[in-house]
Amino acid sequence: MSIFGSKESVKDKKSLVIYFSRADENYAVGNIEKGNTEVIAEYIQDITGADLFKVEPAKPFSKNYRECCREAMEEQRQNARPVLKKYLEDISNYEVIYIGAPIYCGTMPMCMFTQLEKLDFAGKIIKVFTTHEGSGLGNVVSDVKKICRGAKVLDSLAIRGSMVYESKEKVKDWIK
Ligand SMILES: Cc1cc2nc3c(=O)[nH]c(=O)nc-3n(C[C@H](O)[C@H](O)[C@H](O)COP(=O)(O)O)c2cc1C
C-alpha cells in the first residue's frame, strides 16, 4: 500500500528530524545553552524515536543577537546557500521527515535551503515545525513545498521560542 494510503499514524513510521537551531544570545530569553528549535527536535525524538540531523553552517552565526540578525538578513538578501559543516546525502530510509527551523526574517535561515535542496523528497511525508517570536510559520511551509517536490506536507506546528519548555504536550498532540 502507498505510504499515503496507509492507516498507520506518522508516529509509527521511521522518521528523521532535519533542523537548524542556534544557542547563544536569543531575542526573547537572553543567553541560552540550547536553541529553542533543538528543544522541540529532541521532544520529537523522545516521542517518536526519530533520528536527528542538525544543519550547521561551516561559518556559525555570531553569538551576538544583533550581529546574527545582520548576518541572516544579508544571507537572505543575497539568496545565499551557505556551506555546511556536513551534509545529509540520503533520506531513502525514512518515510516521515520533520523539518524544523527558527523563523529568521520571515522564513528559514538560508543554511536550511542549502541542505534541503540536496535531498530527494519524492514520496516522503513532511511535517514542518518552527519556533518564532510572533511570525508563526512565516513562509516556511510554502518554501518547503517549493523545495521538497513530490512530498506530502502535512499539518505544521509553530511554537513561540520562549514557550518551548512548556510545549511538550502540544508536540505530542501534533504528532498524533
Ligand atoms: C537572525 C534572527 C532573525 C529572526 N527573525 C524573526 C522573525 O522574522 N520573526 C519571528 O517571529 N522571530 C524571529 N526571530 C526569533 C527566533 O525565530 C526565535 O527566537 C527562535 O525561537 C530561535 O530559535 P533557535 O533558538 O532554535 O535558534 C529571529 C531571530 C534571529 C536570531
Side-chain angles (χ1 to χ4, degrees):
M1 190 193 301
S2 128
I3 54 172
F4 298 148
S6 162
K7 286 224 165 60
E8 284 172 275
S9 82
V10 292
K11 80 174 198 286
D12 300 323
K13 298 183 188 298
K14 189 159 170 50
S15 47
L16 169 70
V17 186
I18 304 173
Y19 71 100
F20 169 83
S21 188
R22 170 183 163 275
D24 310 316
E25 191 188 1
N26 179 267
Y27 168 76
V29 288
N31 268 287
I32 50 179
E33 286 192 5
K34 183 180 289 194
N36 296 326
T37 313
E38 186 152 283
V39 174
I40 304 298
E42 289 180 356
Y43 289 160
I44 296 170
Q45 179 176 52
D46 199 34
I47 296 162
T48 66
D51 292 335
L52 297 185
F53 182 84
K54 184 174 184 173
V55 172
E56 294 178 276
K59 180 179 179 297
F61 285 107
S62 172
K63 289 177 187 298
N64 174 278
Y65 174 73
R66 277 179 183 279
E67 184 58 20
C68 172
C69 285
R70 200 196 55 72
E71 293 167 352
M73 270 191 279
E74 184 56 20
E75 284 185 353
Q76 223 179 70
R77 194 186 63 76
Q78 294 179 3
N79 196 21
R81 296 294 182 272
V83 175
L84 306 184
K85 272 190 191 161
K86 58 183 188 307
Y87 294 84
L88 178 63
E89 305 281 358
D90 180 16
I91 53 172
S92 55
N93 284 337
Y94 300 99
E95 287 186 76
V96 181
I97 321 282
Y98 294 87
I99 296 177
I103 301 289
Y104 273 17
C105 318
T107 188
M108 304 175 279
M110 300 314 291
C111 55
M112 285 294 292
F113 288 71
T114 307
Q115 177 58 75
L116 297 179
E117 285 172 357
K118 291 210 175 293
L119 295 168
D120 177 7
F121 285 91
K124 304 296 179 192
I125 295 172
I126 291 178
K127 290 183 70 109
V128 169
F129 64 100
T130 65
T131 69
H132 66 96
E133 284 305 334
S135 298
L137 292 163
N139 293 325
V140 177
V141 176
S142 62
D143 285 342
V144 163
K145 282 181 178 167
K146 272 184 225 150
I147 301 170
C148 306
R149 299 267 175 219
K152 184 177 171 89
V153 181
L154 300 186
D155 52 324
S156 308
L157 179 71
I159 294 198
R160 217 169 247 278
S162 49
M163 300 291 290
V164 289
Y165 288 100
E166 290 96 86
S167 298
K168 192 164 186 184
E169 285 305 310
K170 241 189 202 170
V171 175
K172 253 188 206 157
D173 290 346
W174 172 63
I175 286 168
K176 277 190 225 151

